[in-house]
Each structure stands twice: as C-alpha cells, then as structure tokens.
Amino acid sequence: MLYIQQQNEVAPMKQEQTLDSYESSTYGKELFVAKAKIGKTVTLIGNILGVMPWQEHGGIVDTPSSLHVLTFDAAAADGVREFLVNECGAPKEIGKVHIENLQRVAEKAFAGRGDYDGLFLDTVYDTIRKIQDRTAKPGVHVVLVSSLTMLAKAVLRSVSGPAFLMKDGKMWKSPMDQNKWGLLKQIMTELQWSTQQDNYHTIWEGHHGEKTVKETDGAGNPKTFDTIQIDGSTARSFPAQVERVWEIHRSPMKYVDPKTKKPTKVCLVHFDPFPTFDFGDQQSGRKVSSRLEAKEPCLTTAFHKLDLKIGGWGT
C-alpha cells in the first residue's frame, strides 16, 4: 500500500467545521524525546526518509531535498549519511538532505560578555525564514530541529549574559534576573510558533531529563519526575504546544536481515506515543489512543494512521 499525499496547501486562516469534519492540520507538530547519545538524529532522519531496513512504505518526504535539518548540537549529523547508506542500504541520493548547521553560532552565544546578545536569535530567525522559503515549493516537506535542548540553552545564554563577570580583578554576579525567565519562555514560544507552520511537518528533537522536587517519598528521599531538558517553566509550556509527544527507544537487539537471516549492525528502534512525563498527558489525545500502538517502529506508518501527509519517497 502506498501512503502518498503530496499536496502542500496551506490551511485557510478561518475554517467552519462540524465535529464530524473537524481537522486540526495534516502537517504534524511533533516532539520526540530520548536519552542522550542513543542516535536520535540518525533515527529520525532515517525514518523521515523511509530508509530504515524495516520500513516498507517509503518516507514521509517526497524527496530527500524536502527534508530540512536545523542543527545546533556538536556533530549533530556526523556519520548519518555513512550509516544510512552503508548499514541501512539507503541510496546515495539522501546526501541531498538540507542541513542548516548553526553549531558555531550556538557556541558563539556562550562567549558573549554582555547581558544580552541578539546575534544568535537573529541568525536563527533568518535561517527559519530561509527554510520556509524552500518549503513553499511543491512537495511534502519536513523541518527537523536538532536539538531543542541546545536551542533553548543558547537562547537562555543570549538573554541572561555570562554566569559571572570580572571587573577590576573581582568576580561579579551574573546579570541574570528573575524577569529573564519570563523572557526565555516568551522567546521560546515565539520561536516555536513561527517554526510550526501548516505547509510542512515540524519535528523537534529533545533530550530526556529528570528534575527533583522538594517533596520526599516515604523513605525521605527527594521525589524526581521525568521531563525534558529545558530550564525553567518552558519545560512544561513547550510540550503543551505540540500535537503529540513521542519517546524514542533503542533496543540492544539488532535487526535481522530477512534474506541472509543474519543480524545487521542496525539496532531495533521504536517510537512510544504514550510516554509518561510530568508536563501532562496531552500526548494521549487527538487520535493517538485509538490509532497508534504502544510501539511504532515506522514513522511513515504512524503518520499515515494519524491522517498526516506522506510523500512516500523510495516506494
């Protein structure tokens, strides 16, 4: 079965619907969370392209050049092409995926000595507009942000200033104050909604985190809860403004080639659309409970179940 739906029309500003005909969007606004260094980026890129060895219905995009990856982390896409081509059998055409590498700009944000540095944010907004110009072309486009964690950290550093200042040989406290936490939340909300447009899929890649609260359990130990790695209340507000939250799980078991009956170097991976995080249970709504399984190995198939647009590259 092919899942191809290649139109990328933008939804009208106002729609009159009934409960029977209600539709939010045919473009996903998704947050994927996992522990550090388990291969989040390569897993997402491979699934979006439809080249993981167990995928049978092609990719979410209609062509590799319809995937636009915005990277902030060090070595975010390092080795991705080699792994997908050499181990997953992907065609070399995947090299046409667009990479907007803002690693150096993010690093520079941490070197500023003023209490506000607008260079990072200006560069991010300019890059988003550049990507959105490309997504105006026909096709099924995906914008992948890797990672939300580093983006938020660089934004915080840009508005808070350095952790300390040296003046006349003495160490002075940071120019950070309580009001800037609200500014961080406001900027991240604006970045989120200016990126999440209705003519392409938006996928945020985040890191699993753990926070401690003042309450204690029965043994007197501080309670902890699962969340995402973003400082301040943005860790709760950001997930509330996506349509679904997924957790990426990688198994130590290797994929077995059905032809040779031998294990490959590719670890089995699945997506959990029912993760348990402290920021709420909004991921259980909007057709997720009735249409998705607890373990979804293929994003193309999962998006099809959710009536999201599919390009079907590779079929």
Side-chain angles (χ1 to χ4, degrees):
M1 180 189 298
L2 299 182
Y3 295 158
I4 300 175
Q5 296 175 291
Q6 293 196 14
Q7 299 79 16
N8 63 336
E9 303 91 346
V10 178
M13 296 291 290
K14 180 178 181 294
Q15 301 178 72
E16 292 188 9
Q17 300 174 331
T18 65
L19 190 58
D20 288 333
S21 65
Y22 175 79
E23 179 180 76
S24 171
S25 173
T26 54
Y27 292 99
K29 302 167 184 64
E30 317 296 315
L31 171 60
F32 288 81
V33 183
K35 295 180 179 179
K37 307 304 178 186
I38 71 161
K40 295 183 296 299
T41 305
V42 68
T43 295
L44 289 169
I45 291 177
N47 266 268
I48 292 166
L49 293 170
V51 298
M52 301 306 288
W54 51 82
Q55 289 185 276
E56 300 177 347
H57 304 290
I60 296 172
V61 293
D62 62 306
T63 181
S65 60
S66 291
L67 173 53
H68 315 268
V69 186
L70 181 56
T71 66
F72 299 97
D73 298 36
D78 189 36
V80 170
R81 181 185 181 280
E82 290 76 12
F83 176 79
L84 294 179
V85 171
N86 298 337
E87 306 301 337
C88 299
K92 294 182 178 180
E93 190 181 352
I94 67 168
K96 296 179 181 178
V97 169
H98 290 283
I99 305 287
E100 298 291 342
N101 187 353
L102 298 190
Q103 175 186 339
R104 299 289 179 261
V105 181
E107 292 171 352
K108 189 174 178 61
F110 291 90
R113 305 312 297 169
D115 59 358
Y116 181 84
D117 182 358
L119 175 62
F120 177 74
L121 281 171
D122 286 344
T123 306
V124 171
Y125 277 116
D126 287 344
T127 305
I128 291 172
R129 284 191 288 267
K130 178 182 176 182
I131 292 173
Q132 289 174 338
D133 286 343
R134 289 202 302 262
T135 62
K137 299 177 181 178
V140 179
H141 296 267
V142 175
V143 175
L144 169 62
V145 180
S146 174
S147 67
L148 173 61
T149 309
M150 181 53 68
L151 169 61
K153 287 182 179 297
V155 170
L156 176 60
R157 179 60 169 79
S158 295
V159 300
S160 69
F164 63 89
L165 295 173
M166 295 298 296
K167 185 177 180 181
D168 299 328
K170 296 181 179 180
M171 184 183 296
W172 296 73
K173 67 178 182 178
S174 166
M176 179 66 172
D177 59 52
Q178 289 297 320
N179 292 332
K180 290 187 176 182
W181 288 112
L183 179 59
L184 170 66
K185 185 176 181 179
Q186 180 181 354
I187 292 173
M188 290 302 297
T189 299
E190 185 174 298
L191 274 173
Q192 182 174 11
W193 283 106
S194 63
T195 303
Q196 293 179 171
Q197 298 296 310
D198 268 343
N199 65 327
Y200 55 80
H201 299 292
T202 305
I203 293 181
W204 304 92
E205 174 195 315
H207 291 80
H208 183 282
E210 187 178 85
K211 291 189 177 182
T212 303
V213 293
K214 294 180 180 180
E215 293 86 357
T216 58
D217 58 21
N221 300 312
K223 291 183 179 180
T224 60
F225 58 85
D226 292 332
T227 182
I228 58 175
Q229 285 189 32
I230 299 181
D231 294 312
S233 61
T234 309
R236 294 196 179 195
S237 64
F238 198 98
Q241 298 173 90
V242 297
E243 294 190 342
R244 282 159 291 269
V245 179
W246 312 66
E247 190 166 12
I248 305 173
H249 295 272
R250 186 178 73 180
S251 168
M253 298 181 62
K254 305 294 185 180
Y255 174 75
V256 177
D257 189 315
K259 295 181 180 179
T260 64
K261 307 299 182 183
K262 295 182 179 180
T264 65
K265 294 182 180 180
V266 184
C267 292
L268 294 173
V269 180
H270 73 267
F271 304 95
D272 175 9
F274 310 108
T276 302
F277 291 105
D278 184 68
F279 46 71
D281 297 321
Q282 76 277 358
Q283 67 272 14
S284 64
R286 294 197 181 178
K287 303 180 286 189
V288 171
S289 299
S290 60
R291 298 195 181 186
L292 296 180
E293 302 297 328
K295 294 183 178 181
E296 291 286 351
C298 173
L299 272 191
T300 305
T301 300
F303 272 37
H304 173 69
K305 292 178 180 179
L306 294 168
D307 293 330
L308 299 177
K309 288 190 182 297
I310 301 296
W313 181 71
T315 54

